[in-house]
């Protein structure tokens, strides 16, 4: 094999194979195409293997021979670093001086006798699903609001045993200059009533969702078809039901906005309804 790789026979075969397969050699890969593809992928995903796979697919689509893996890896690392630096700069520029000082305080100061930084306290995982741990999580939320760090990190709150009904409260109680409107959560944040209320409140809820294949989504109408994911759609949206109860839902959202009651109160009430209840549906 090694003799063939270094032989003149291989050098004669390669152009013939390329011509037959209608591919262009990797030495002629459009650098701008590769760079743009990698940066677009890096804006949506972090894993290097995923970024490289996207780049390979795009090169194949344009009939380019795949470059060496080392070359692709270096270009993907470079592109990801540039995208991340741009994102960091965007976040930094959006912060006020007060917000930057709050982050410095998080990373530098000890908040208790344990000499842990506030950042360590902020990123602690939830405990096991017990009443005591739930109370601790509620106390932690109050601490976040009191310390105003909720303004910086409420859109990355981990749910754990902290039920999905509480994840909107922290964002809505935020009174600082920084007003995030995107809420990231783990799998426990996947809740249809929470999705609906978040939408009415102008909040983009983005929980991590596992087992997509087991989820039944709703089509806009029976004729709607969706390429690649059509098998996920088992139901059709009941627009009449939504229209009937839309005024009620708006009143609930306006009451929350006005501070008359909390999002968790509404969601707890919905949670006690039977799934046959029309307003819950």
């Amino acid at each position: 094999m090694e003799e063939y790789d270094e032989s003149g026979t291989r050098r004669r075969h390669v152009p013939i194979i390329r011509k037959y397969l209608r591919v262009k050699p990797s030495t002629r890969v459009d650098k701008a195409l590769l760079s743009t593809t990698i940066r677009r992928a890096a804006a949506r995903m972090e894993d290097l293997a995923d970024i490289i796979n996207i780049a390979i697919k795009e090169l194949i689509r344009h009939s380019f021979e795949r470059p060496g893996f080392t070359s692709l890896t270096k270009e993907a690392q470079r592109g990801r670093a540039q995208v991340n630096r741009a994102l960091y700069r965007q976040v930094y520029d959006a912060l006020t001086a007060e917000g930057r000082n709050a982050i410095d305080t998080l990373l530098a100061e000890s908040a208790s006798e344990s000499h842990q930084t506030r950042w360590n306290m902020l990123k602690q995982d939830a405990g096991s699903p017990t009443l005591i741990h739930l109370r601790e999580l509620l106390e932690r939320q109050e601490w976040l609001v009191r310390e105003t760090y909720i303004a910086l990190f409420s859109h990355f709150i981990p749910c754990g045993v902290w039920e999905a009904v509480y994840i909107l409260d922290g964002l809505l109680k935020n009174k600082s200059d920084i007003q995030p409107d995107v809420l990231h959560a783990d799998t426990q944040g996947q809740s249809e009533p929470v999705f609906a209320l978040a939408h009415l409140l102008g909040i983009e809820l983005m929980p991590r969702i596992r087992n997509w294949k087991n989820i039944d989504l709703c089509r806009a109408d029976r004729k709607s078809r969706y390429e690649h994911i059509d098998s996920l759609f088992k139901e059709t949206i009941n627009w009449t039901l939504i229209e009937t109860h839309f005024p009620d839902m708006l009143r609930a959202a306006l009451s929350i906005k006005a501070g008359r009651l909390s999002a968790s109160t509404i969601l707890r009430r919905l949670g006690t309804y039977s799934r046959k209840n029309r307003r819950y549906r």
Side-chain angles (χ1 to χ4, degrees):
M1 190 65 181
E2 292 180 1
E3 293 178 358
Y4 174 76
D5 287 343
E6 298 177 1
S7 68
T9 303
R10 181 187 181 279
R11 287 192 291 272
R12 290 193 299 272
H13 284 170
V14 169
I16 296 171
I17 294 171
R18 284 174 179 157
K19 183 177 180 180
Y20 177 78
L21 296 176
R22 297 179 181 178
V23 297
K24 291 167 275 191
S26 60
T27 53
R28 292 170 53 194
V29 166
D30 188 329
K31 301 296 183 183
L33 170 67
L34 182 59
S35 177
T36 301
T37 301
I38 284 176
R39 280 152 185 76
R40 284 178 179 171
R44 295 181 289 110
M45 52 190 68
E46 176 67 18
D47 190 79
L48 206 60
D50 292 334
I51 297 172
I52 292 172
N53 285 335
I54 294 292
I56 289 174
K57 289 179 181 179
E58 189 67 7
L59 292 175
I60 292 174
R61 193 170 74 86
H62 286 82
S63 301
F64 279 111
E65 192 176 58
R66 282 175 291 180
F69 185 73
T70 300
S71 299
L72 277 174
T73 301
K74 288 182 178 178
E75 185 62 30
Q77 289 173 333
R78 184 161 45 247
R80 184 178 63 176
Q82 290 178 355
V83 169
N84 286 342
R85 280 196 295 270
L87 289 173
Y88 298 153
R89 172 54 61 180
Q90 184 179 352
V91 172
Y92 180 83
D93 291 342
L95 290 172
T96 61
E98 180 186 5
R100 294 168 190 164
N101 290 335
I103 291 178
D104 289 339
T105 302
L106 268 177
L107 299 175
E109 290 188 6
S110 177
S112 66
E113 295 180 357
S114 65
H115 302 295
Q116 286 188 337
T117 64
R118 285 177 166 84
W119 171 245
N120 281 331
M121 293 178 63
L122 184 66
K123 64 187 181 71
Q124 285 179 358
D125 292 330
S128 57
T130 64
L131 183 59
I132 292 176
H133 288 153
L134 180 58
R135 287 171 178 164
E136 290 176 352
L137 281 169
L138 293 175
E139 291 174 0
R140 182 162 166 246
Q141 182 204 13
E142 292 177 0
W143 172 77
L144 285 169
V145 174
R146 185 172 62 252
E147 296 289 329
T148 73
Y149 299 132
I150 194 77
L152 299 174
F153 301 104
S154 59
H155 52 307
F156 292 107
I157 294 174
C159 292
V161 297
W162 191 2
E163 298 176 24
V165 296
Y166 293 104
I167 66 176
L168 297 177
D169 284 353
L171 206 61
L172 294 168
K173 289 180 181 178
N174 168 35
K175 303 300 182 183
S176 72
D177 293 337
I178 303 171
Q179 294 289 324
D181 57 6
V182 178
L183 182 63
H184 293 265
D186 60 19
T187 307
Q188 282 78 8
Q190 178 189 330
S191 162
E192 290 169 337
V194 178
F195 265 122
L197 189 56
H199 179 74
L200 290 173
L201 294 170
I203 297 170
E204 186 176 2
L205 178 60
M206 300 180 67
R208 182 185 296 111
I209 299 179
R210 298 175 183 169
N211 300 322
W212 278 97
K213 63 181 180 180
N214 298 326
I215 296 177
D216 292 339
L217 302 181
C218 295
R219 303 177 190 276
D221 54 63
R222 292 181 180 179
K223 296 180 180 178
S224 297
R225 291 294 179 269
Y226 308 98
E227 188 177 4
H228 305 307
I229 59 172
D230 194 68
S231 61
L232 294 176
F233 293 81
K234 305 293 194 306
E235 306 286 342
T236 303
I237 295 174
N238 187 337
W239 294 108
T240 302
L241 184 68
I242 293 174
E243 183 179 9
T244 300
H245 295 285
F246 193 61
D248 293 333
M249 292 188 284
L250 280 181
R251 277 193 289 270
L254 290 171
S255 296
I256 293 170
K257 281 285 192 180
R260 295 193 179 117
L261 73 168
S262 66
S264 57
T265 299
I266 290 287
L267 292 169
R268 282 200 306 270
R269 289 178 184 174
L270 286 175
T272 61
Y273 291 165
S274 164
R275 288 184 177 271
K276 295 180 180 181
N277 180 281
R278 284 182 170 268
R279 189 171 300 173
Y280 179 92
R281 289 171 58 197

